Amino acid sequence: MYLSDRWLDYELLDAGDGDKLERWGDVILQRPDPQAIWPHGHWQKPDARYIRSTAGGGHWQVNRSHPRQWVIQYPGIQAPLSFVIEPTGFKHTGLFPEQAANWDYCTERIVTARLAGREVRILNLFAYTGAASVACSAAGATEVVHVDASKGMNARARENLAESGLQDRLVRCLADDVQKFVEREIRRGRTYEGIIMDPPSYGRGPAGELWKLEDALYGLIEKTSQLLSDQPLFFLVNSYTTGLAPLVLRDILGLVIRPRFGGRVEAEELGLPATQRELILPCGATGRWEP
């Protein structure tokens, strides 16, 4: 399991009864988590709790006033990374803290390549608010191309870059359909040393067709792998789809990338350790290929 256990400003306090209790800086939030099926312990009253509606969606029940948004830091390997936190109407905060293990993984490989004098271009697909883009830029990537269909998410990514002092680095935040973008990059002959993708479980394709991860993932990885340079550093795929085992990601990466480049593939669950009880909350899976 890949553990994200280097946080200082974030803390998973406990989880259970379908919820998790988290500290984001000085703010305590309680949010739903379908993996936490065991009973929870004795919890302090959170500053805010997200309550699902039987009709869909939900709302935040605020118990103590707190900022509408605030900034937390992650102690990155090269430099501290700063992220804007803002609870949304869909229970999210703008950051997935379990991904810190992947930020560290990418950072280590980029730093090693840059010390060897190599150019490093990174492609981050389904990039959300850009935490991985921030980490790769801070690690010294020559260029980061950040692609997400949401203009709002791209705007938050630029804020995160600025909060981390990286506003002058070469990071292109593009609002685009990922599949269309990848096809255009192939035609342009563009290549990247590192590729990151975090596709959603469900979505809509360019023509409005239903996009289901299990049906589309192999083809998406196969096509995107054509953008790897002749000396790639890594290809990383993340999935939150509950029924998709880590071995599936390992097998796809092995079938698609290893015949061309050789190398090593591994895949594990991502996990967040709780601090108030001895448990680890599973948070999806990640597959990694490296030469």
Side-chain angles (χ1 to χ4, degrees):
M1 175 174 277
Y2 304 136
L3 288 180
S4 295
D5 55 3
R6 296 182 54 245
W7 278 100
L8 299 176
D9 279 1
Y10 170 84
E11 184 180 3
L12 174 66
L13 300 169
D14 195 9
D17 290 322
D19 274 355
K20 56 188 173 185
L21 190 69
E22 305 165 291
R23 177 181 64 83
W24 298 83
D26 297 328
V27 180
I28 306 297
L29 300 179
Q30 181 176 337
R31 300 189 292 156
D33 194 296
Q35 298 282 4
I37 62 173
W38 51 87
H40 69 60
H42 178 71
W43 286 3
Q44 66 190 92
K45 194 172 186 179
D47 294 309
R49 178 186 180 188
Y50 188 85
I51 300 175
R52 289 192 183 278
S53 167
T54 55
H59 69 280
W60 288 95
Q61 179 187 70
V62 178
N63 300 316
R64 284 183 292 273
S65 62
H66 58 80
R68 183 180 65 84
Q69 63 181 44
W70 62 99
V71 175
I72 67 171
Q73 281 195 335
Y74 178 70
I77 293 175
Q78 281 291 96
L81 313 177
S82 297
F83 304 110
V84 178
I85 303 302
E86 181 178 6
T88 71
F90 298 98
K91 85 169 183 176
H92 297 300
T93 62
L95 189 70
F96 292 99
E98 66 274 6
Q99 289 295 323
N102 285 330
W103 309 336
D104 289 349
Y105 170 85
C106 296
T107 295
E108 289 170 353
R109 276 139 195 84
I110 293 169
V111 168
T112 300
R114 292 294 284 154
L115 288 174
R118 293 184 55 188
E119 299 286 295
V120 179
R121 296 175 298 275
I122 302 295
L123 177 61
N124 186 13
L125 301 174
F126 308 98
Y128 193 49
T129 58
S133 300
V134 171
C136 292
S137 181
T142 315
E143 178 186 13
V144 178
V145 176
H146 164 116
V147 183
D148 195 279
S150 168
K151 293 181 179 179
M153 294 301 100
N154 291 335
R156 178 52 50 85
R158 294 187 190 96
E159 289 182 58
N160 287 332
L161 286 161
E163 290 288 348
S164 299
L166 302 168
Q167 61 272 20
D168 296 328
R169 299 288 182 89
L170 181 53
V171 181
R172 296 193 292 144
C173 295
L174 307 176
D176 206 341
D177 175 85
V178 163
Q179 297 192 73
K180 285 184 175 180
F181 175 82
V182 168
E183 289 167 359
R184 287 199 300 273
E185 289 289 88
I186 292 170
R187 291 195 295 269
R188 293 172 184 138
R190 289 264 295 173
T191 60
Y192 298 87
E193 281 65 52
I195 295 178
I196 303 164
M197 65 166 62
D198 192 357
S201 298
Y202 298 95
R204 293 284 175 181
E209 68 276 15
L210 181 64
W211 192 89
K212 189 177 179 184
L213 184 65
E214 294 94 321
D215 299 332
L217 185 59
Y218 183 90
L220 179 62
I221 291 175
E222 187 176 43
K223 183 169 290 185
T224 306
S225 70
Q226 297 177 48
L227 296 176
L228 286 170
S229 73
D230 291 335
Q231 292 184 299
L233 298 177
F234 61 83
F235 194 115
L236 187 150
V237 184
N238 190 70
S239 169
Y240 288 98
T241 303
T242 306
L244 205 61
L247 285 175
V248 174
L249 300 180
R250 190 196 70 175
D251 290 343
I252 293 175
L253 290 174
L255 289 168
V256 171
I257 300 178
R258 208 158 40 197
R260 178 181 171 192
F261 294 105
R264 185 171 73 95
V265 178
E266 62 177 28
E268 298 284 351
E269 283 189 289
L270 283 169
L272 284 169
T275 57
Q276 293 185 351
R277 283 197 294 175
E278 190 174 340
L279 61 85
I280 297 173
L281 183 65
C283 304
T286 292
R288 300 168 176 174
W289 170 88
E290 61 185 57

